[in-house]
Amino acid sequence: MTGRRDIALCIALLGGALLASPASAEPLPLPDGLMLDLPQGWRIDGTAEGETGKDGRTRVQLVCATEACKRTQETCTILMRPQPVAGADDAARLTSLYAAPMDRYFRIRAVLRTTSKDAQVLQPLGRVSLGTRDWWMIETDARHNYKSGLFAETVIDGRYLGVICKTCETGSERHQAGRAIMTSIRPAD
């Protein structure tokens, strides 16, 4: 009888912890009418409006400030383009981002160069579903003393959105917060 109560207690505690997790996320409005849930321990580096670069893209920098992140040095950059992506709907627009094989080749090459010399692809460039949205995603593994990267792109209501997450984490479970951020991105109500 005691074993069953212990198991039930463990399940209840685990369920409570899982349910409490999303509540700790902080809603963050982004430019262009988008919103995301910032995980606990993460903060904006700069302003929520971001900075617009010479290429016209708006960048919002997110930084993990938890004790664990002192070692992993996790960051995510949200990129938004001002011009809409052409296409009939978001699925067609997303497909058009890498419709040509050369587009995929140049993306993979750019991602590897950005990661580090001798970087390797952990997850090849492909379509991945996160939450209710599809993304083009590629994950890299950097050589020692460099940050590995998770690079993802999607289209929301005709607008391009890119996410670049970097970490020094070397385990198989990297970029969990980055994936949670991507899953939470949505149009603001």
Side-chain angles (χ1 to χ4, degrees), residues 126-128 130 133-137 152-154 161 163 182:
R127 296 271 296 260
V128 175
L130 284 177
R133 195 163 312 288
D134 283 348
W135 297 73
W136 281 105
M137 189 179 296
E153 299 162 293
T154 194
L161 182 107
V163 178
M182 287 186 265

Side-chain angles (χ1 to χ4, degrees), residues 115-148:
T115 302
S116 72
K117 182 181 176 185
D118 300 328
Q120 297 179 341
V121 173
L122 280 182
Q123 177 186 340
L125 180 64
R127 296 271 296 260
V128 175
S129 291
L130 284 177
T132 60
R133 195 163 312 288
D134 283 348
W135 297 73
W136 281 105
M137 189 179 296
I138 182 170
E139 187 174 350
T140 61
D141 186 32
R143 71 182 207 187
H144 184 66
N145 288 334
Y146 287 89
K147 288 185 172 184
S148 297

Side-chain angles (χ1 to χ4, degrees), residues 73-88:
Q73 300 176 19
E74 288 181 74
T75 62
C76 285
T77 303
I78 311 294
L79 301 161
M80 293 160 279
R81 292 182 187 159
Q83 66 276 11
V85 179

Side-chain angles (χ1 to χ4, degrees), residues 6-157:
D6 289 343
I7 291 172
L9 179 61
C10 285
I11 290 172
L13 290 172
L14 180 60
L18 291 174
L19 290 175
S21 246
S24 64
E26 177 185 335
L28 174 68
L30 294 171
D32 298 329
L34 297 175
M35 177 167 267
L36 64 77
D37 294 328
L38 201 57
Q40 186 174 15
W42 283 70
R43 64 175 175 78
I44 301 169
D45 188 16
T47 66
E49 292 80 34
E51 295 179 12
T52 303
K54 291 178 184 175
D55 59 1
R57 292 188 296 180
T58 302
R59 290 168 175 75
V60 177
Q61 302 286 342
L62 306 175
V63 178
C64 180
T66 65
E67 193 64 34
C69 288
K70 287 182 181 178
R71 182 182 51 80
T72 62
Q73 300 176 19
E74 288 181 74
T75 62
C76 285
T77 303
I78 311 294
L79 301 161
M80 293 160 279
R81 292 182 187 159
Q83 66 276 11
V85 179
D89 59 16
D90 283 350
R93 294 175 185 119
L94 185 61
T95 299
S96 74
L97 293 180
Y98 294 106
M102 288 305 288
D103 292 337
R104 291 189 294 274
Y105 166 77
F106 286 120
R107 180 61 177 155
I108 293 167
R109 192 172 108 184
V111 161
L112 288 171
R113 282 186 174 175
T114 300
T115 302
S116 72
K117 182 181 176 185
D118 300 328
Q120 297 179 341
V121 173
L122 280 182
Q123 177 186 340
L125 180 64
R127 296 271 296 260
V128 175
S129 291
L130 284 177
T132 60
R133 195 163 312 288
D134 283 348
W135 297 73
W136 281 105
M137 189 179 296
I138 182 170
E139 187 174 350
T140 61
D141 186 32
R143 71 182 207 187
H144 184 66
N145 288 334
Y146 287 89
K147 288 185 172 184
S148 297
L150 178 67
F151 303 82
E153 299 162 293
T154 194
V155 178
I156 301 175
D157 294 339

